[in-house]
Amino acid sequence: MVRPERRTRSDLVAVVLILVVVLAAAAVIWWRSDARATTSEPAAAPAPVLTSPTRVPAALHELWRAPSPATPVPVVAGSTAITGDGGTVSGRDPGTGAVRWRFSRDLPLCTVGEGWDRAVAVYRKSANCSEVSSLQGDTGVRGPARNADAPFGTRLLDDGKYLTATGERVLESWRSDLVRTQQYGIMPALKNAGNNLRRPNCTYPSVAVGSERIAVVEDCPDDPAQRITVLKTKPEDDEEPEEVSSAVLGGSEATAVAVSTKQTAVYVRDRGSLVMYANSTGGIEAEYPLPTAGAPFPDAGVEAVAADRVWTVNLRPVPGPEQAGAARSISAALHRFDPAITEQRVLDGLATAGPDRPFRVAVLDDHQYRQVKDKIGDVPGATFGGLLYWNNGATTVALDAATFAPLWEVPGALGPGALHGGKLLVPMPAGIAVLDRFTGARERLIPVDRQGWDGPVRLDSAGTTVLEQRGPNLVALG
């Protein structure tokens, strides 16, 4: 038998010293790590589901307000209103403002947005906005995170499937696990010379997203005017941007308004026109004059006129044997948004529908539409119609979601508006206008005391609460 080795006093001392060094190194790493500088206080239980309003109240009064300079628009994730101030993201009860959960870091926030029912917080380091964390809206539980190349001044734009971080020299898109799907522009540390760009020396003063496309206004030194370029949000090769089309504009003060798979709407301010470009050719399809008096031009790198979308679900006549199945599928998908949508109601509506007179089943905001479009998109007879509400600083314009053609205008509006209680609410200098969501006919004006604030106002609705982003503050009305 082999005699076991004997441990000496020197061996034990050496082991102790090694353990001390390892623990000391671990302590130093932890002291310098992001984990030590992060505080996460999730909610004890998920937030209750919000009740959709059935009407617009007769009056609106301030319920609460909170500083939120990191949210350029009201951010609602799940059933929670989100605020961002300093290095802290807070999930709040929309009706009371009470903090349900909190997440903070020892870094300042660049911006906070929403995607996939999560709050997405982008934090600033010395060189750029590189630290990205996602938080479940109803609980504040941490989800996927990533390091990014987003520049200072970035904004997060949601097309329903991808988030795009804007920037004057670079923009990038992420899928729901925060894996990057594309990057366009010049980064601080290049992987490829010129980053596989056709025009590497351009800046990007305006960006719009939609239908897995990105519309980018480019300022390029070799072009006589600005140009509009359309990219795929998820190219075939994630190392190389995939350009759909690019065309030089007839002006040098342009804003990307909206983009689909087929076309792009661009507001060319120095021409006073909303111009439609075909994505297949880059050619002009239509042009519509719009008022510009008093319209401020947006800061570089910021999409100043993001459109709010509203969708209708319509049913055209279907053969008798298919009616019961269609009514069952439609009511099952939409009943949670409106309890009045039942299988029998849909069947009754189908009985009155004609080829040129579809039955309008429901009106959905963009978030609701994204949740159900795949569930009812293949139902026989089901079609979607839509409107975009867009503001150029002088007027709010309703655009047809399919063609982007202007339908009606609200002069003097402070922002694009939002759905609430079956109506369109549009911020005006004296309060909030209540409009028919399809025709723009004004029904009444609800006075709102904004305590001297006369700048742009972005609206959203969280249950029965109306949210207004007024510069660095989020204000709740009810």
Side-chain angles (χ1 to χ4, degrees):
M1 179 180 292
V2 178
R3 187 176 181 179
E5 296 183 6
R6 300 177 64 184
R7 295 188 181 91
T8 66
R9 182 181 180 87
S10 298
D11 293 334
L12 295 174
V13 170
V15 170
V16 171
L17 289 175
I18 290 171
L19 287 174
V20 169
V21 170
V22 170
L23 292 174
V28 169
I29 292 172
W30 176 83
W31 185 262
R32 296 180 177 178
S33 70
D34 292 337
R36 186 192 69 83
T38 299
T39 301
S40 179
E41 301 173 4
V49 176
L50 294 175
T51 301
S52 298
T54 58
R55 61 181 180 83
V56 179
L60 288 170
H61 306 284
E62 184 171 320
L63 302 175
W64 57 270
R65 68 170 55 207
S68 189
T71 57
V73 300
V75 175
V76 180
S79 299
T80 304
I82 309 298
T83 58
D85 183 30
T88 300
V89 182
S90 301
R92 299 175 181 270
D93 182 298
T96 66
V99 175
R100 291 171 171 162
W101 55 260
R102 182 183 287 106
F103 178 85
S104 63
R105 296 190 60 176
D106 65 341
L107 299 171
L109 283 161
C110 288
T111 191
V112 180
E114 185 275 338
W116 320 288
D117 280 338
R118 302 200 299 264
V120 181
V122 184
Y123 285 90
R124 172 176 182 156
K125 282 201 167 180
S126 58
N128 57 8
C129 298
S130 60
E131 305 294 303
V132 185
S133 296
S134 65
L135 307 160
Q136 291 293 338
D138 290 339
T139 62
V141 172
R142 297 177 68 176
R146 70 163 293 114
N147 290 324
D149 290 313
F152 300 140
T154 189
R155 296 274 295 274
L156 298 181
L157 307 183
D158 180 20
D159 72 0
K161 188 172 183 179
Y162 300 99
L163 274 183
T164 295
T166 67
E168 187 176 4
R169 292 284 294 168
V170 62
L171 55 95
E172 61 180 62
S173 303
W174 314 315
R175 66 192 192 195
S176 60
D177 56 5
L178 291 190
V179 170
R180 187 172 65 203
T181 59
Q182 74 81 32
Q183 192 174 60
Y184 188 71
I186 301 297
M187 283 68 62
L190 289 177
K191 292 181 180 179
N192 306 299
N195 195 34
N196 294 321
L197 294 180
R198 298 182 184 181
R199 298 169 297 277
N201 299 316
C202 305
T203 57
Y204 315 129
S206 180
V207 179
V209 299
S211 304
E212 299 180 32
R213 298 289 186 270
I214 306 167
V216 186
V217 173
E218 298 190 66
D219 263 325
C220 303
D222 295 331
D223 287 334
Q226 290 181 326
R227 71 168 52 235
I228 184 69
T229 298
V230 178
L231 309 166
K232 287 189 177 180
T233 313
K234 189 181 185 306
E236 292 295 327
D237 181 357
D238 60 7
E239 292 292 332
E240 184 169 355
E242 188 169 347
E243 188 175 288
V244 177
S245 65
S246 189
V248 175
L249 303 167
S252 295
E253 290 184 349
T255 298
V257 174
V259 60
S260 67
T261 55
K262 295 182 179 180
Q263 61 191 7
T264 301
V266 182
Y267 177 47
V268 186
R269 183 171 178 262
D270 45 357
R271 285 171 58 170
S273 297
L274 187 66
V275 187
M276 310 300 163
Y277 288 85
N279 291 349
S280 58
T281 64
I284 294 177
E285 290 188 321
E287 184 169 351
Y288 305 92
L290 286 178
T292 60
F297 194 63
D299 295 334
V302 177
E303 91 313 332
V305 288
D308 288 336
R309 294 167 172 81
V310 176
W311 301 92
T312 59
V313 181
N314 308 305
L315 269 180
R316 298 185 182 279
V318 298
E322 298 180 359
Q323 288 187 5
R328 190 179 309 113
S329 298
I330 291 288
S331 60
L334 300 178
H335 182 77
R336 57 178 166 151
F337 303 133
D338 184 353
I341 300 176
T342 63
E343 188 172 338
Q344 186 58 53
R345 178 183 169 186
V346 176
L347 286 171
D348 293 343
L350 272 173
T352 66
D356 299 320
R357 192 183 65 257
F359 167 55
R360 181 179 294 156
V361 185
V363 179
L364 308 176
D365 63 30
D366 197 47
H367 182 69
Q368 295 168 335
Y369 164 74
R370 288 186 237 141
Q371 295 179 63
V372 300
K373 65 176 181 178
D374 293 334
K375 297 179 181 179
I376 60 179
D378 295 330
V379 173
T383 59
F384 293 107
L387 293 175
L388 309 181
Y389 301 116
W390 166 74
N391 183 274
N392 71 347
T395 187
T396 285
V397 185
L399 310 176
D400 184 283
T403 65
F404 299 150
L407 301 176
W408 45 264
E409 301 172 9
V410 185
L414 303 178
L419 276 184
H420 187 87
K423 301 295 181 180
L424 178 68
L425 303 187
V426 175
M428 304 296 291
I432 294 177
V434 182
L435 309 179
D436 182 282
R437 59 204 171 197
F438 301 111
T439 67
R442 182 182 296 196
E443 298 180 0
R444 57 193 172 98
L445 181 74
I446 304 175
V448 174
D449 180 9
R450 296 196 176 98
Q451 301 177 20
W453 177 261
D454 59 359
V457 175
R458 290 299 304 269
L459 289 183
D460 204 349
S461 180
T464 58
T465 303
V466 176
L467 298 173
E468 286 195 345
Q469 185 77 39
R470 304 176 194 165
N473 294 304
L474 182 68
V475 181
L477 306 172

PDB file of all heavy atoms in Angstrom, residues 422-444:
ATOM      1  N   GLY A 422     -62.590  55.056 -26.951  1.00  0.00           N
ATOM      2  CA  GLY A 422     -63.210  55.028 -28.266  1.00  0.00           C
ATOM      3  C   GLY A 422     -63.067  56.302 -29.070  1.00  0.00           C
ATOM      4  O   GLY A 422     -63.604  56.399 -30.181  1.00  0.00           O
ATOM      5  N   LYS A 423     -62.364  57.297 -28.539  1.00  0.00           N
ATOM      6  CA  LYS A 423     -62.164  58.559 -29.248  1.00  0.00           C
ATOM      7  C   LYS A 423     -60.679  58.828 -29.409  1.00  0.00           C
ATOM      8  O   LYS A 423     -59.836  58.194 -28.781  1.00  0.00           O
ATOM      9  CB  LYS A 423     -62.821  59.711 -28.476  1.00  0.00           C
ATOM     10  CG  LYS A 423     -64.308  59.549 -28.243  1.00  0.00           C
ATOM     11  CD  LYS A 423     -65.099  59.562 -29.550  1.00  0.00           C
ATOM     12  CE  LYS A 423     -66.589  59.411 -29.290  1.00  0.00           C
ATOM     13  NZ  LYS A 423     -67.388  59.433 -30.561  1.00  0.00           N
ATOM     14  N   LEU A 424     -60.378  59.801 -30.264  1.00  0.00           N
ATOM     15  CA  LEU A 424     -59.009  60.264 -30.406  1.00  0.00           C
ATOM     16  C   LEU A 424     -58.829  61.516 -29.564  1.00  0.00           C
ATOM     17  O   LEU A 424     -59.573  62.488 -29.714  1.00  0.00           O
ATOM     18  CB  LEU A 424     -58.684  60.573 -31.874  1.00  0.00           C
ATOM     19  CG  LEU A 424     -57.266  61.106 -32.122  1.00  0.00           C
ATOM     20  CD1 LEU A 424     -56.230  60.028 -31.855  1.00  0.00           C
ATOM     21  CD2 LEU A 424     -57.124  61.647 -33.542  1.00  0.00           C
ATOM     22  N   LEU A 425     -57.838  61.487 -28.673  1.00  0.00           N
ATOM     23  CA  LEU A 425     -57.510  62.659 -27.865  1.00  0.00           C
ATOM     24  C   LEU A 425     -56.282  63.325 -28.467  1.00  0.00           C
ATOM     25  O   LEU A 425     -55.264  62.674 -28.690  1.00  0.00           O
ATOM     26  CB  LEU A 425     -57.219  62.251 -26.418  1.00  0.00           C
ATOM     27  CG  LEU A 425     -58.313  61.485 -25.679  1.00  0.00           C
ATOM     28  CD1 LEU A 425     -57.932  61.306 -24.212  1.00  0.00           C
ATOM     29  CD2 LEU A 425     -59.671  62.161 -25.809  1.00  0.00           C
ATOM     30  N   VAL A 426     -56.370  64.617 -28.724  1.00  0.00           N
ATOM     31  CA  VAL A 426     -55.275  65.373 -29.328  1.00  0.00           C
ATOM     32  C   VAL A 426     -54.949  66.554 -28.422  1.00  0.00           C
ATOM     33  O   VAL A 426     -55.845  67.342 -28.075  1.00  0.00           O
ATOM     34  CB  VAL A 426     -55.647  65.869 -30.740  1.00  0.00           C
ATOM     35  CG1 VAL A 426     -54.551  66.753 -31.317  1.00  0.00           C
ATOM     36  CG2 VAL A 426     -55.896  64.689 -31.667  1.00  0.00           C
ATOM     37  N   PRO A 427     -53.675  66.701 -28.029  1.00  0.00           N
ATOM     38  CA  PRO A 427     -53.317  67.824 -27.145  1.00  0.00           C
ATOM     39  C   PRO A 427     -53.356  69.149 -27.895  1.00  0.00           C
ATOM     40  O   PRO A 427     -52.776  69.284 -28.977  1.00  0.00           O
ATOM     41  CB  PRO A 427     -51.899  67.476 -26.696  1.00  0.00           C
ATOM     42  CG  PRO A 427     -51.347  66.620 -27.792  1.00  0.00           C
ATOM     43  CD  PRO A 427     -52.504  65.848 -28.348  1.00  0.00           C
ATOM     44  N   MET A 428     -54.030  70.124 -27.305  1.00  0.00           N
ATOM     45  CA  MET A 428     -54.145  71.466 -27.858  1.00  0.00           C
ATOM     46  C   MET A 428     -53.632  72.460 -26.807  1.00  0.00           C
ATOM     47  O   MET A 428     -53.512  72.118 -25.625  1.00  0.00           O
ATOM     48  CB  MET A 428     -55.606  71.766 -28.217  1.00  0.00           C
ATOM     49  CG  MET A 428     -56.242  70.766 -29.164  1.00  0.00           C
ATOM     50  SD  MET A 428     -55.480  70.713 -30.808  1.00  0.00           S
ATOM     51  CE  MET A 428     -55.983  72.315 -31.443  1.00  0.00           C
ATOM     52  N   PRO A 429     -53.359  73.705 -27.185  1.00  0.00           N
ATOM     53  CA  PRO A 429     -52.842  74.673 -26.205  1.00  0.00           C
ATOM     54  C   PRO A 429     -53.748  74.861 -24.996  1.00  0.00           C
ATOM     55  O   PRO A 429     -53.269  75.040 -23.877  1.00  0.00           O
ATOM     56  CB  PRO A 429     -52.723  75.960 -27.029  1.00  0.00           C
ATOM     57  CG  PRO A 429     -52.468  75.481 -28.424  1.00  0.00           C
ATOM     58  CD  PRO A 429     -53.305  74.239 -28.558  1.00  0.00           C
ATOM     59  N   ALA A 430     -55.068  74.787 -25.184  1.00  0.00           N
ATOM     60  CA  ALA A 430     -55.988  75.035 -24.075  1.00  0.00           C
ATOM     61  C   ALA A 430     -56.444  73.759 -23.375  1.00  0.00           C
ATOM     62  O   ALA A 430     -57.179  73.834 -22.384  1.00  0.00           O
ATOM     63  CB  ALA A 430     -57.216  75.797 -24.571  1.00  0.00           C
ATOM     64  N   GLY A 431     -56.042  72.601 -23.863  1.00  0.00           N
ATOM     65  CA  GLY A 431     -56.489  71.363 -23.243  1.00  0.00           C
ATOM     66  C   GLY A 431     -56.341  70.191 -24.191  1.00  0.00           C
ATOM     67  O   GLY A 431     -55.384  70.107 -24.973  1.00  0.00           O
ATOM     68  N   ILE A 432     -57.319  69.274 -24.140  1.00  0.00           N
ATOM     69  CA  ILE A 432     -57.291  68.076 -24.966  1.00  0.00           C
ATOM     70  C   ILE A 432     -58.570  68.022 -25.789  1.00  0.00           C
ATOM     71  O   ILE A 432     -59.681  68.034 -25.237  1.00  0.00           O
ATOM     72  CB  ILE A 432     -57.162  66.804 -24.107  1.00  0.00           C
ATOM     73  CG1 ILE A 432     -55.797  66.783 -23.414  1.00  0.00           C
ATOM     74  CG2 ILE A 432     -57.343  65.553 -24.949  1.00  0.00           C
ATOM     75  CD1 ILE A 432     -55.597  65.596 -22.492  1.00  0.00           C
ATOM     76  N   ALA A 433     -58.411  67.978 -27.111  1.00  0.00           N
ATOM     77  CA  ALA A 433     -59.557  67.891 -28.005  1.00  0.00           C
ATOM     78  C   ALA A 433     -60.002  66.439 -28.122  1.00  0.00           C
ATOM     79  O   ALA A 433     -59.173  65.531 -28.251  1.00  0.00           O
ATOM     80  CB  ALA A 433     -59.207  68.454 -29.382  1.00  0.00           C
ATOM     81  N   VAL A 434     -61.315  66.230 -28.078  1.00  0.00           N
ATOM     82  CA  VAL A 434     -61.913  64.905 -28.256  1.00  0.00           C
ATOM     83  C   VAL A 434     -62.459  64.845 -29.675  1.00  0.00           C
ATOM     84  O   VAL A 434     -63.358  65.611 -30.037  1.00  0.00           O
ATOM     85  CB  VAL A 434     -63.038  64.661 -27.234  1.00  0.00           C
ATOM     86  CG1 VAL A 434     -63.627  63.257 -27.409  1.00  0.00           C
ATOM     87  CG2 VAL A 434     -62.514  64.852 -25.811  1.00  0.00           C
ATOM     88  N   LEU A 435     -61.896  63.933 -30.484  1.00  0.00           N
ATOM     89  CA  LEU A 435     -62.221  63.876 -31.904  1.00  0.00           C
ATOM     90  C   LEU A 435     -62.789  62.518 -32.285  1.00  0.00           C
ATOM     91  O   LEU A 435     -62.473  61.496 -31.662  1.00  0.00           O
ATOM     92  CB  LEU A 435     -60.983  64.129 -32.763  1.00  0.00           C
ATOM     93  CG  LEU A 435     -60.134  65.361 -32.474  1.00  0.00           C
ATOM     94  CD1 LEU A 435     -58.951  65.404 -33.431  1.00  0.00           C
ATOM     95  CD2 LEU A 435     -60.964  66.631 -32.592  1.00  0.00           C
ATOM     96  N   ASP A 436     -63.603  62.514 -33.325  1.00  0.00           N
ATOM     97  CA  ASP A 436     -63.958  61.263 -33.972  1.00  0.00           C
ATOM     98  C   ASP A 436     -62.691  60.688 -34.592  1.00  0.00           C
ATOM     99  O   ASP A 436     -61.986  61.370 -35.330  1.00  0.00           O
ATOM    100  CB  ASP A 436     -65.017  61.495 -35.056  1.00  0.00           C
ATOM    101  CG  ASP A 436     -65.446  60.204 -35.719  1.00  0.00           C
ATOM    102  OD1 ASP A 436     -64.680  59.704 -36.576  1.00  0.00           O
ATOM    103  OD2 ASP A 436     -66.522  59.693 -35.396  1.00  0.00           O
ATOM    104  N   ARG A 437     -62.391  59.421 -34.277  1.00  0.00           N
ATOM    105  CA  ARG A 437     -61.088  58.865 -34.659  1.00  0.00           C
ATOM    106  C   ARG A 437     -60.950  58.624 -36.147  1.00  0.00           C
ATOM    107  O   ARG A 437     -59.846  58.414 -36.653  1.00  0.00           O
ATOM    108  CB  ARG A 437     -60.872  57.560 -33.897  1.00  0.00           C
ATOM    109  CG  ARG A 437     -61.930  56.528 -34.162  1.00  0.00           C
ATOM    110  CD  ARG A 437     -62.042  55.527 -33.038  1.00  0.00           C
ATOM    111  NE  ARG A 437     -63.204  54.675 -33.209  1.00  0.00           N
ATOM    112  CZ  ARG A 437     -63.738  53.947 -32.242  1.00  0.00           C
ATOM    113  NH1 ARG A 437     -63.216  53.988 -31.044  1.00  0.00           N
ATOM    114  NH2 ARG A 437     -64.778  53.186 -32.465  1.00  0.00           N
ATOM    115  N   PHE A 438     -62.075  58.656 -36.879  1.00  0.00           N
ATOM    116  CA  PHE A 438     -62.012  58.384 -38.308  1.00  0.00           C
ATOM    117  C   PHE A 438     -62.142  59.643 -39.163  1.00  0.00           C
ATOM    118  O   PHE A 438     -61.509  59.751 -40.212  1.00  0.00           O
ATOM    119  CB  PHE A 438     -63.105  57.390 -38.705  1.00  0.00           C
ATOM    120  CG  PHE A 438     -63.007  56.082 -37.970  1.00  0.00           C
ATOM    121  CD1 PHE A 438     -63.955  55.732 -37.038  1.00  0.00           C
ATOM    122  CD2 PHE A 438     -61.941  55.221 -38.213  1.00  0.00           C
ATOM    123  CE1 PHE A 438     -63.854  54.531 -36.350  1.00  0.00           C
ATOM    124  CE2 PHE A 438     -61.839  54.017 -37.527  1.00  0.00           C
ATOM    125  CZ  PHE A 438     -62.791  53.669 -36.588  1.00  0.00           C
ATOM    126  N   THR A 439     -62.945  60.587 -38.720  1.00  0.00           N
ATOM    127  CA  THR A 439     -63.189  61.783 -39.527  1.00  0.00           C
ATOM    128  C   THR A 439     -62.440  63.004 -39.033  1.00  0.00           C
ATOM    129  O   THR A 439     -62.291  63.977 -39.775  1.00  0.00           O
ATOM    130  CB  THR A 439     -64.687  62.115 -39.551  1.00  0.00           C
ATOM    131  OG1 THR A 439     -65.102  62.517 -38.227  1.00  0.00           O
ATOM    132  CG2 THR A 439     -65.499  60.909 -39.995  1.00  0.00           C
ATOM    133  N   GLY A 440     -61.997  62.999 -37.769  1.00  0.00           N
ATOM    134  CA  GLY A 440     -61.342  64.164 -37.201  1.00  0.00           C
ATOM    135  C   GLY A 440     -62.310  65.221 -36.709  1.00  0.00           C
ATOM    136  O   GLY A 440     -61.883  66.284 -36.242  1.00  0.00           O
ATOM    137  N   ALA A 441     -63.620  64.961 -36.783  1.00  0.00           N
ATOM    138  CA  ALA A 441     -64.608  65.941 -36.316  1.00  0.00           C
ATOM    139  C   ALA A 441     -64.441  66.166 -34.812  1.00  0.00           C
ATOM    140  O   ALA A 441     -64.413  65.214 -34.034  1.00  0.00           O
ATOM    141  CB  ALA A 441     -66.018  65.458 -36.625  1.00  0.00           C
ATOM    142  N   ARG A 442     -64.323  67.437 -34.406  1.00  0.00           N
ATOM    143  CA  ARG A 442     -64.142  67.745 -32.985  1.00  0.00           C
ATOM    144  C   ARG A 442     -65.480  67.715 -32.277  1.00  0.00           C
ATOM    145  O   ARG A 442     -66.436  68.373 -32.687  1.00  0.00           O
ATOM    146  CB  ARG A 442     -63.496  69.111 -32.805  1.00  0.00           C
ATOM    147  CG  ARG A 442     -63.242  69.444 -31.338  1.00  0.00           C
ATOM    148  CD  ARG A 442     -62.655  70.809 -31.115  1.00  0.00           C
ATOM    149  NE  ARG A 442     -61.330  70.954 -31.686  1.00  0.00           N
ATOM    150  CZ  ARG A 442     -60.493  71.942 -31.358  1.00  0.00           C
ATOM    151  NH1 ARG A 442     -60.862  72.849 -30.454  1.00  0.00           N
ATOM    152  NH2 ARG A 442     -59.328  72.031 -31.932  1.00  0.00           N
ATOM    153  N   GLU A 443     -65.528  66.957 -31.175  1.00  0.00           N
ATOM    154  CA  GLU A 443     -66.752  66.840 -30.397  1.00  0.00           C
ATOM    155  C   GLU A 443     -66.758  67.803 -29.221  1.00  0.00           C
ATOM    156  O   GLU A 443     -67.799  68.351 -28.868  1.00  0.00           O
ATOM    157  CB  GLU A 443     -66.913  65.400 -29.918  1.00  0.00           C
ATOM    158  CG  GLU A 443     -67.041  64.415 -31.081  1.00  0.00           C
ATOM    159  CD  GLU A 443     -67.206  62.969 -30.625  1.00  0.00           C
ATOM    160  OE1 GLU A 443     -67.219  62.732 -29.394  1.00  0.00           O
ATOM    161  OE2 GLU A 443     -67.323  62.093 -31.491  1.00  0.00           O
ATOM    162  N   ARG A 444     -65.583  67.993 -28.593  1.00  0.00           N
ATOM    163  CA  ARG A 444     -65.492  68.932 -27.477  1.00  0.00           C
ATOM    164  C   ARG A 444     -64.025  69.130 -27.108  1.00  0.00           C
ATOM    165  O   ARG A 444     -63.149  68.447 -27.644  1.00  0.00           O
ATOM    166  CB  ARG A 444     -66.273  68.443 -26.263  1.00  0.00           C
ATOM    167  CG  ARG A 444     -65.877  67.078 -25.753  1.00  0.00           C
ATOM    168  CD  ARG A 444     -66.915  66.553 -24.755  1.00  0.00           C
ATOM    169  NE  ARG A 444     -66.699  65.179 -24.376  1.00  0.00           N
ATOM    170  CZ  ARG A 444     -66.078  64.773 -23.276  1.00  0.00           C
ATOM    171  NH1 ARG A 444     -65.594  65.694 -22.416  1.00  0.00           N
ATOM    172  NH2 ARG A 444     -65.931  63.505 -22.986  1.00  0.00           N
TER     173      ARG A 444
END
